[in-house]
Every structure is written in C-alpha cells, then in structure tokens.
Amino acid sequence: MASKQLLVSCVFLVSLLNLLFGFRVHAVPYDHTFTHEASPRLTIILIFECLAKPLRPQYDGGIVVNPELNEGLKGWTTFGEAKLEHGVSADDGGNNYIVVSKRHQTFHSFSQKFDLDKDKLYTFSAWLQVSEGNADIAAVFRTQNNYETAGWVTAQKGCWSMLKGGVVVNASGPADLFFQSNNTDVDIWADSISLQPFTHEEWKSHQQESIEKVRKRRVKFQAVDEHGRPIANATVSIKQRRPNFPLGCAINQNILRNPAYQNWWSSRFKHTVFENELKWYSNERNRGSEDYSVSDALVQFARSRGAAIRGHNVLWNDPKYQPPWVGGLSSNDLWAAANKRVFSVVGRYKGQLFHWDVVNENLHFNFFESKLGYNASNVFYQKTNLIDPRTTPFLNEFNTIEESRDGASSPAKYLQKIFQLRKQGYNGPLGIGLEGHFSYANLPYIRSAIDTLASAKLPIWVTELDVAAGPNQANFLEQILWELHSHFAVQGIIIWAAWSPQGCYKMCLTDNNFKNLPTGNVVDKVRGQWAQAEGVVGTTDSKGLFEASLYHGEYEAEISHPKSNIFANIKKFSVLPNKEAKDLFHLKIKV
C-alpha cells in the first residue's frame, strides 16, 4: 500500500459566535450599559457618574408609564405626604422630569404601581438628581408582604446620576415603586425610569449568548488527504485538558493532615484562598511573635498541586478581627505595627500569590482610618504594590452583589471607594473583590451590580462564594454560578467552602467522609459543563469540515479516517479569547 498522510487543519475563526446553537429564545436583548463620568466639580469622595442630561431610559422604559415625564405627571402619584411637581430643564433642551419636595419622612416620594410576577426577573434603572448637596437614594418596591430594594445611587445637585438595579418578588401581585433617602432636606428629581420584565427562559438565553461570546470560541477542523482533498465523514473527538476560567475553592489547615480531603480538593480545583491562616490575628497572635508555619505549609501544599493562591488578607478594617493586642495601641504604635505587618507578610510571600486583599472590607468598616487618618488604606495599597508589584492588590467587600438592601457597600459606594483611592494618589493596579455570601438569588440585581462595577474597567473576581443553608441552597448556588460565569466582566470565582470536621462557614460541599453534598454535586456539574467534560464528538461534512463551539482552555483532539485505521492526534491546542488566539495552525501526520 502506498504511504499516505493525513492533513488536519484547525482553523480558529476570528469572529465570535453571536447566536447560540440549538437554544434560542426571542427575548428582548439585555442592556449591560452603565455610564459614569468623573466630574472635576465633585469632592474627593463624590466622584461617580453624573451627566448634564440623563440618557434615554433603558428598554424605552419597559412597563413604566410615562418614563421620560413627557406627558406631565401621567402615571405618577405621591407616596406619603409630599409635594409632587413636573419640571422642565431650561439648560438641556427642555428635558422633562419629576420632582418631590417637602419630604418629612425618608420614604416620602413619587410612586407608580405595577403588577409584578414572582416568575419574572425585573431589571430597573433611573436617573436621579437632588436639590442640594448630595444624598444616597434607594429605589424600593413595596409588595403585599415585603419591601424589595432594587438598587442605590448617590445623587447630587446639578447633574444626573444613574441608578441601575434589579428585583425579584416572592409573590405575584401589586407593588408600589418609590424612592427613599435618609436625607429629608433634599428634593428628589427623577427621569428616564425603566422597569423591564424577563422570563427565566429569556434570562437563560442572555446567559448562554454571553457565554458564547466571552467564554467560548468557534473552532473549525478540516480533514484532507495527502492531495489536499477533503475527507467526508471523518470522526472528530475533542477533549478538554485544562479549563481557562478559574473556579476555585478555599482551603484551611485541616487539609494538611487529611489525605481524603487533599484528594477530593486536588482533583477539582487549581485556584484557592486560605480561610483564616493568612490573617494578621493568625500570624501574630502575640505582639512581636510571628508564626507563619501553617500558612507556609498551605502555600507549599497548594503549589505542589499546581494551584494558584489568592492572598487573604494583609489587613482587615473590621475592629472585631484585629489581633487582641492591637486595639489599645497608640496612633504611632499602630502605624509601626501595621507597617511591620505589611512588609512582613507581603514580603514573605512575594511572587507566590496572584492577588492580595490589602484592606479587607473597608467600605463597611474603618478601623485604620479612625485611628490613623482618612488615607490609611491608600498608604497600605501603595506599600503592598511597592513590595510585590507582580501581585494585584484587591479591594474585597460583602453585600455588593448579594444584598440589595445594604447601601453601605452598594456598587455606587464601591466605585466611590475606587475613585477615592485614586484621588488620594494610589495609581497602581487594583482589583474588585466581591465576596458573594448569598442568602437568596436575585439574579437581576447581581447582573446590574456587576454592570455598574465593570465601568471601572478593573479585574473583577467573586472571592468567597457561598449560599446560606436552606431548602433552595443547591438550586440558588447553581443559578448564581451560571449568572456569574456568564457575565463578561467576571474573571474568576472562588467558593468559600473550606472543610472542617465541625462544619463549614456557611456552606460545605462534602460530608465528613468527603462524599458530595447536593452543593458539591452542583459544583461538579457546572465544572463538567464548563469544561465540556464529556467531550465533543462529530463527523466532517462533504468539505471535510467540522465546527464546534469550545470553552476557552487547553484541548486534545483525534480525527479518524472513515474507511481505514488512519488517524491524526493533536496532543495539545489552546482555545483562547480572540485577542490571544492564533488564527491558524496545521498538523501533518504520516501514516
């Protein structure tokens, strides 16, 4: 038999997939838009989006009656005892808006009634302004049995700020939208108000379309013989060797002496964070006596298993979680102790970690600022970046995506903190850490919150993902994982489920015999789906072509001739985001 060779050409398409195969819902496209501009008229703390004229309402207002107030006050009523007026701006083309004044209670506002469906997901947006100074404003829906906060913004005088949020309700029925602010001295103005409902099927179609665009690429294989003629009906088998999207899980010192724990964890994860072992109170329980033995062992273990490590944390702004000897220090002694801590821990692990949570939870708490001055966090970010410039310093906060009622760490407040650090002089690398300690799944709020934060154009990681115990724990976890994974701005997820024999922080993935709990089954399920664990198999068409949409990652493939035992193996090829991918490569196999 004459020798033959099989030429396999793998062509990576430059364009990304715009339509999902096999699963299409004719949904209203989701609008990820969030606009912010830094205004030179603002103070240090109040730098956030503020436009001379509001943008058009998203979704043309959705189900809101008279969303741009072009029909006077049609559809709008007073909520509580206050004065309602229609306004027209003289300096921006005659823009119409609504005004509520003479507010005596925080909830005195303007209102519109809606019939909300518990089986729908609602995105909400509005542009707001106040008569004097600035004020934090929440958009709230009063249902038959609850108050649901859709989102927050810090509005100010003289320009318009966008509030973007979302809401789900636990029972269908009437609901009243109103706006709430603790500052009752200000009049509230609003314009371009939107409420858009989506079904769960439509929402999933948005997720899948986004995944196809940002997590996957289309790959085209062509099988030809030694004369360049296409081979039809050749079998193509593709397996992923390593995923590109980081999905990790926290560990603690219990893993060091537990082979079962080690095997369970190592077979699943390549990214991690330590639960408590890198915190100041663990490394220096007694002043001047540092002990890094446990954290050193965990670093060695993780690196031996090929896992990347987030550093959590250098300092913590919550006064409850300081080493016991820190609280009574003078200002000078605290500066000395904190600086020593930064140089010690960051210098010790220089180059071994890929993130550092530098001042943990400094939106909710201000221990160091209260003792050392308003720019204390800025100093510690500067020092951390100076000591270990290859590791990205992160902010890290709870309730930004998981709890819409907490205005202290709303996306608007998070952006303000970022701009505050920049204004104080920290211009180095910075990341957005979202802890993600969920009690329930408000998917529209999660998406809108990340949309808002994405405007900062910084890396975003979900750093401590868990879901509180309850009958829907596993279901909520799966919904949240898919929502986070589908968002273009999320670069990685770490699950906060370090195992202890006494139980986990909020959520375990296994029992004490390392058999999966329902939450562990969810994690394994999504890991398999995102990694295409069952592989991709198909046959070439009459032109010798086979196309597949593959998650970013490392792969191997085999193509077999339909009429002989001739085959070609590609031991390794990478499917990467478009900006990194090679356009074309060939592999020849002599048979």
Side-chain angles (χ1 to χ4, degrees):
M1 178 185 297
S3 64
K4 298 179 180 180
Q5 67 182 29
L6 180 67
L7 175 65
V8 181
S9 109
C10 306
V11 182
F12 290 86
L13 300 182
V14 174
S15 61
L16 300 177
L17 182 66
N18 291 319
L19 295 173
L20 170 71
F21 8 50
F23 183 79
R24 293 179 61 185
V25 173
H26 296 286
V28 174
Y30 179 81
D31 188 347
H32 283 281
T33 302
F34 181 83
T35 302
H36 77 81
E37 293 183 356
S39 169
R41 295 179 296 124
L42 304 182
T43 62
I44 289 176
I45 299 177
L46 298 176
I47 301 180
F48 46 83
E49 99 287 354
C50 200
L51 308 184
K53 184 176 181 178
L55 302 182
R56 289 288 309 278
Q58 294 187 318
Y59 314 103
D60 292 322
I63 60 176
V64 173
V65 175
N66 192 19
E68 294 182 270
L69 286 305
N70 292 332
E71 300 178 75
L73 295 177
K74 178 183 176 181
W76 296 95
T77 59
T78 304
F79 193 85
E81 297 178 4
K83 182 180 179 181
L84 207 60
E85 295 178 280
H86 182 259
V88 181
S89 298
D91 57 353
D92 60 2
N95 182 65
N96 295 286
Y97 55 91
I98 191 170
V99 182
V100 63
S101 59
K102 297 183 178 179
R103 301 172 53 248
H104 303 293
Q105 299 290 335
T106 62
F107 56 84
H108 286 175
S109 176
F110 34 81
S111 180
Q112 190 167 134
K113 189 177 290 292
F114 302 92
D115 283 320
L116 301 187
D117 187 338
K118 67 179 180 64
D119 293 321
K120 297 284 181 64
L121 302 100
Y122 295 87
T123 62
F124 178 82
S125 62
W127 288 81
L128 298 163
Q129 186 173 160
V130 291
S131 57
E132 296 294 334
N134 64 84
D136 294 331
I137 301 175
V140 183
F141 288 84
R142 182 181 66 178
T143 67
Q144 291 174 303
N145 56 15
N146 209 351
Y147 289 86
E148 303 291 349
T149 301
W152 291 83
V153 71
T154 303
Q156 66 169 326
K157 179 182 178 179
C159 55
W160 294 91
S161 299
M162 184 183 186
L163 184 157
K164 187 172 188 180
V167 68
V168 292
V169 293
N170 57 18
S172 299
D176 297 298
L177 165 67
F178 67 96
F179 294 84
Q180 182 168 324
S181 176
N182 289 334
N183 186 346
T184 57
D185 293 332
V186 300
D187 303 344
I188 300 175
W189 304 6
D191 194 7
S192 294
I193 303 164
S194 174
L195 183 66
Q196 176 64 42
F198 293 97
T199 66
H200 284 272
E201 291 73 22
E202 289 171 328
W203 201 261
K204 289 177 183 176
S205 77
H206 297 151
Q207 291 177 343
Q208 293 299 329
E209 185 175 357
S210 179
I211 286 169
E212 291 290 341
K213 289 178 179 178
V214 302
R215 304 294 180 211
K216 301 174 79 173
R217 291 197 70 197
R218 288 200 66 115
V219 179
K220 182 183 288 185
F221 295 85
Q222 185 176 35
V224 298
D225 63 18
E226 73 275 17
H227 302 295
R229 296 174 299 199
I231 302 173
N233 298 318
T235 299
V236 181
S237 300
I238 306 167
K239 287 277 192 181
Q240 189 184 85
R241 296 173 55 176
R242 185 182 179 98
N244 190 64
F245 183 81
L247 176 63
C249 186
I251 57 175
N252 58 31
Q253 60 186 310
N254 292 302
I255 204 168
L256 296 173
R257 297 171 295 280
N258 193 319
Y261 186 6
Q262 294 175 6
N263 293 336
W264 179 89
W265 184 89
S266 300
S267 65
R268 288 166 170 80
F269 303 110
K270 292 299 180 183
H271 292 80
T272 194
V273 67
F274 306 156
E275 188 174 38
N276 298 309
E277 288 80 359
L278 264 180
K279 294 171 181 173
W280 193 7
Y281 62 69
S282 294
N283 302 142
E284 194 177 358
R285 290 177 183 151
N286 299 304
R287 187 176 184 181
S289 179
E290 294 181 331
D291 182 1
Y292 290 104
S293 58
V294 177
S295 53
D296 283 351
L298 282 173
V299 168
Q300 183 179 5
F301 166 77
R303 298 187 71 187
S304 73
R305 302 303 172 102
I309 308 163
R310 294 195 78 250
H312 177 75
N313 50 54
V314 180
L315 297 167
W316 199 341
N317 237 353
D318 189 340
K320 293 189 303 183
Y321 295 111
Q322 307 304 321
W325 50 270
V326 163
L329 296 179
S330 67
S331 176
N332 288 339
D333 284 349
L334 181 58
W335 267 123
N339 283 331
K340 179 187 174 189
R341 161 66 178 174
V342 174
F343 280 100
S344 175
V345 71
V346 178
R348 186 180 191 88
Y349 297 110
K350 178 180 178 180
Q352 300 182 71
L353 314 176
F354 68 100
H355 294 165
W356 260 123
D357 294 334
V358 178
V359 184
N360 197 45
E361 299 176 349
N362 64 353
L363 276 78
H364 279 98
F365 307 107
N366 66 344
F367 174 78
F368 291 100
E369 284 78 7
S370 69
K371 301 283 188 179
L372 305 176
Y374 71 94
N375 68 334
S377 287
N378 173 65
V379 171
F380 299 131
Y381 279 88
Q382 294 271 20
K383 291 180 183 295
T384 297
N385 184 232
L386 180 67
I387 298 165
D388 189 2
R390 291 190 299 167
T391 298
T392 303
F394 263 65
L395 295 157
N396 195 50
E397 197 56 70
F398 63 91
N399 281 354
T400 304
I401 58 173
E402 62 266 42
E403 181 49 76
S404 62
R405 293 171 293 187
D406 189 348
S409 58
S410 69
K413 290 294 187 184
Y414 211 125
L415 289 179
Q416 289 176 41
K417 177 60 73 172
I418 292 168
F419 291 126
Q420 181 184 14
L421 283 173
R422 296 305 195 202
K423 188 68 175 179
Q424 291 172 353
Y426 178 67
N427 295 311
L430 191 64
I432 295 173
L434 305 172
E435 292 183 15
H437 297 295
F438 288 89
S439 298
Y440 61 101
N442 182 348
L443 302 184
Y445 184 76
I446 297 171
R447 189 178 294 182
S448 68
I450 300 174
D451 289 346
T452 302
L453 294 167
S455 67
K457 302 187 183 307
L458 296 174
I460 297 175
W461 278 64
V462 178
T463 57
E464 303 179 21
L465 175 62
D466 59 21
V467 178
N472 293 312
Q473 185 185 46
N475 181 44
F476 285 160
L477 177 62
E478 184 169 5
Q479 291 181 44
I480 292 164
L481 281 167
W482 277 103
E483 183 62 41
L484 297 173
H485 181 250
S486 69
H487 201 288
F488 67 90
V490 176
Q491 296 188 6
I493 301 170
I494 305 291
I495 299 168
W496 197 254
W499 174 85
S500 295
Q502 300 81 17
C504 306
Y505 175 68
K506 278 190 178 179
M507 180 183 80
C508 282
L509 300 181
T510 75
D511 63 17
N512 285 359
N513 295 313
F514 297 96
K515 302 295 183 183
N516 272 6
L517 298 170
T519 48
N521 289 335
V522 164
V523 172
D524 282 352
K525 177 183 176 183
V526 298
R527 282 181 57 254
Q529 290 168 330
W530 299 351
Q532 295 169 305
E534 296 181 0
V536 177
V537 179
T539 56
T540 58
D541 62 15
S542 61
K543 296 181 180 180
L545 297 174
F546 173 74
E547 295 184 25
S549 179
L550 302 179
Y551 282 102
H552 302 153
E554 294 180 3
Y555 288 83
E556 60 184 20
E558 180 180 287
I559 301 180
S560 302
H561 196 286
K563 296 181 179 179
S564 71
N565 60 358
I566 299 174
F567 66 92
N569 276 329
I570 306 172
K571 293 297 185 184
K572 180 182 178 181
F573 67 94
S574 296
V575 179
L576 299 172
N578 189 52
K579 64 182 179 180
E580 302 175 32
K582 296 179 181 178
D583 292 331
L584 174 68
F585 71 84
H586 295 269
L587 180 66
K588 289 185 179 181
I589 304 292
K590 290 185 178 181
V591 180

